[in-house]
Amino acid sequence: MAAAPAPGDQTSRDDADRSAEGAASVAGVDPSPAEPPGQPIVETRGLRKSFGENEILAGIDFAVHPGEVVSVIGASGSGKSTFLRCVNLLEWPSAGQVLYHGQDVLARGYDVSRFRARLGMVFQQFNLFNNLNVLDNCVIGQVRAAGRPTSEARERALGYLAKVGMERYVRAKPRQLSGGQKQRVAIARALSMEPEALLFDEPTSALDPEMVGEVLAVMGELAESGLTMVIVTHEMAFARDVSDRVAFMDGGVIAEEGPAQAVFSAPEQARTKEFLARFHAG
């Protein structure tokens, strides 16, 4: 396995190369040409979400293009996780649009299950099936949701488990694994579906500090491979070093967005400066 950037190391990549490689390189196949830069994989327009009278998202305009890594940062309660769940329709937006290759997935008659299958999701709490072993956790979704033959699903799962360094644990049950190992299995499970983009909802928040590095290392390798990723995270150094762009959320809106290095080194908005001051103070 190639060395991944540590959370605090500076990382630079050629955006054009990463876009050309695309998510196909993660699947171990020849990369196909990237989409034109003007066509996002996923885009939201005026996205709103309320729970009763409590408005969590107050109009989010956002897009992620092929090969991009975008981190969404902000204080707890700013709406980051709700936003990600609305993107993947795990929460149904109250208003606005979610576009997949330019098509509104909220429109009547759209195949939502197909859309969800194209956007993988890695959760805070792993969401593994405790009664299944590691391999079967990575196979069941492929067979039931994607309709793949079991033999093909097993082959794909084994490949992705090897990619995240969990090939030795294929017969282990989740209760026999550490938190970091569970999260690596969850990443392999999501990759086994071969999504077009992968969404991460604070993937290290439930881990002991010593387990965080191993998960971030895997995510760093995925970023280097060209996988399109949207990452909600509190790992500021990782977001700065691995992301192409960063979106800072505050009060249910994106208060500032731009190239990762620019946002971290010279934020324009006062609220962004205030939030990042704690990170810069060390």
Side-chain angles (χ1 to χ4, degrees):
M1 181 179 292
D9 294 340
Q10 291 285 341
T11 304
S12 62
R13 297 188 303 274
D14 187 311
D15 291 343
D17 288 345
R18 289 181 63 254
S19 294
E21 288 172 1
S25 62
V26 177
V29 298
D30 292 336
S32 57
E35 265 188 269
Q39 175 66 69
I41 294 177
V42 177
E43 181 180 5
T44 67
R45 296 178 183 174
L47 193 69
R48 294 179 176 271
K49 178 63 180 179
S50 297
F51 294 99
E53 296 184 358
N54 186 19
E55 187 174 52
I56 306 300
L57 303 179
I60 303 289
D61 295 327
F62 176 86
V64 61
H65 295 78
E68 274 195 312
V69 177
V70 184
S71 288
V72 182
I73 63 173
S76 297
S78 60
K80 305 183 303 296
S81 292
T82 300
F83 167 64
L84 208 64
R85 292 176 66 85
C86 284
V87 169
N88 205 30
L89 303 187
L90 295 175
E91 295 284 355
W92 202 261
S94 303
Q97 292 180 300
V98 178
L99 306 177
Y100 174 61
H101 293 284
Q103 296 186 332
D104 187 357
V105 304
L106 303 179
R108 184 184 300 273
Y110 193 91
D111 187 350
V112 171
S113 61
R114 175 180 174 274
F115 168 68
R116 288 193 180 120
R118 300 304 298 148
L119 292 185
M121 187 88 169
V122 177
F123 300 89
Q124 298 177 32
Q125 298 292 338
F126 325 127
N127 288 13
L128 299 176
F129 294 106
N130 290 322
N131 60 318
L132 300 180
N133 64 30
V134 163
L135 180 58
D136 289 341
N137 263 282
C138 296
V139 167
I140 188 170
Q142 297 185 67
V143 173
R144 293 189 179 180
R148 291 176 186 153
T150 301
S151 58
E152 178 184 343
R154 288 174 62 89
E155 183 178 354
R156 289 175 190 260
L158 288 169
Y160 287 117
L161 285 167
K163 189 175 186 67
V164 301
M166 289 299 293
E167 67 273 23
R168 293 183 299 161
Y169 299 89
V170 293
R171 298 191 183 281
K173 295 289 184 65
R175 65 177 179 273
Q176 298 171 298
L177 304 177
S178 69
Q181 290 171 330
K182 290 177 184 177
Q183 195 60 289
R184 283 191 280 158
V185 172
I187 292 171
R189 177 182 61 183
L191 290 171
S192 293
M193 296 296 292
E194 299 192 336
E196 194 168 359
L198 201 51
L199 312 179
F200 292 83
D201 184 13
E202 298 188 20
T204 61
S205 65
L207 302 181
D208 293 333
E210 62 269 23
M211 301 296 178
V212 170
E214 66 184 66
V215 173
L216 294 182
V218 169
M219 293 172 62
E221 289 186 356
L222 295 176
E224 288 288 345
S225 76
L227 179 65
T228 304
M229 302 163 67
V230 180
I231 307 166
V232 167
T233 183
H234 288 290
E235 300 291 339
M236 295 296 102
F238 178 82
R240 176 196 63 197
D241 296 341
V242 173
S243 306
D244 298 300
R245 288 189 293 117
V246 166
F248 170 65
M249 285 190 64
D250 185 53
V253 300
I254 294 179
E256 185 164 349
E257 183 177 8
Q261 295 296 331
V263 170
F264 274 92
S265 63
E268 297 180 357
Q269 302 300 318
R271 183 67 185 94
T272 316
K273 294 177 182 178
E274 180 185 359
F275 175 79
L276 291 176
R278 293 188 292 272
F279 165 66
H280 292 307

